[in-house]
Amino acid sequence: MSKPTISIPSQYQNLRFFLIQFTMFSCFFFTLTITAQNKKQLIGHWQLQKISFKKTNVQPSETNKDQLLEVFKAALYNQITEEQKSNLYDLEQINLDAKALHDTYYQTTIEFQPNGAFYNTSLNKEKSLSGEYVLDKKKLHMQWETADKTNFKILKNTTDELVLKDTELKITFYYLKTKTQ
């Protein structure tokens, strides 16, 4: 016994093809619109307000300098293996890397520009850096002038608040938009 076949008239096949194309175009346009809106909200000056790792929250102020350094050390320490934890060289490297992160983020203002450039300005002008960024839906990819790369997940992006989570270190950075632009 043969299976019955259903034939679709050609005018409906064209309609089906049109609906598939329309759906794909709508999804693409919607994604572009969301990315463009996020990029527009991202552009401007942002002041670092707080950094958190696990249950530790630290404001990058003069009185919390050491605590901030400890947050970076804890995040880096959390990433190494048990064997590396017993190696003095690896522990010294964590201290150096934590100091570099501290210098990069301590009391900084970050400025995102429409052309894809960013400027991370520190109170200590010698520690200021710049680079390029790419916004990809809910991810922010930054390449610093030192060739280091940092990938962030955007947890919140409003007109006055930006919350980024470093996908590697699992540190969350809280920024507020400054009025001076």
Side-chain angles (χ1 to χ4, degrees), residues 31-131:
T31 302
L32 270 179
T33 303
I34 287 174
T35 302
Q37 287 174 344
N38 283 347
K39 186 169 184 175
K40 188 175 180 182
Q41 286 179 334
L42 186 69
I43 295 170
H45 292 78
W46 299 89
Q47 178 68 45
L48 182 62
Q49 296 297 307
K50 178 174 65 170
I51 294 176
S52 68
F53 176 70
K54 295 191 176 183
K55 294 183 181 186
T56 304
N57 295 306
V58 177
Q59 293 179 338
S61 66
E62 189 64 36
T63 57
N64 294 337
K65 266 180 135 173
D66 293 335
Q67 287 179 317
L68 186 63
L69 185 60
E70 292 304 317
V71 166
F72 291 124
K73 284 181 185 179
L76 290 164
Y77 186 79
N78 195 50
Q79 295 220 307
I80 62 175
T81 65
E82 289 300 318
E83 183 179 316
Q84 290 173 311
K85 289 177 183 176
S86 62
N87 184 331
L88 186 59
Y89 173 77
D90 290 329
L91 296 177
E92 287 176 1
Q93 188 62 46
I94 284 176
N95 289 336
L96 292 173
D97 292 345
K99 179 69 173 130
L101 286 169
H102 181 272
D103 291 345
T104 300
Y105 291 105
Y106 174 69
Q107 292 188 338
T108 59
T109 301
I110 193 163
E111 176 191 359
F112 293 101
Q113 295 189 339
N115 65 357
F118 74 89
Y119 299 94
N120 191 56
T121 307
S122 173
L123 290 179
N124 180 354
K125 298 298 181 193
E126 296 171 3
K127 304 293 182 181
S128 296
L129 293 170
S130 63

Side-chain angles (χ1 to χ4, degrees), residues 137-148:
K137 296 179 188 172
K138 286 288 199 173
K139 297 209 179 193
L140 175 65
H141 309 283
M142 297 170 67
Q143 181 167 344
W144 302 81
E145 66 186 48
T146 58
D148 293 329

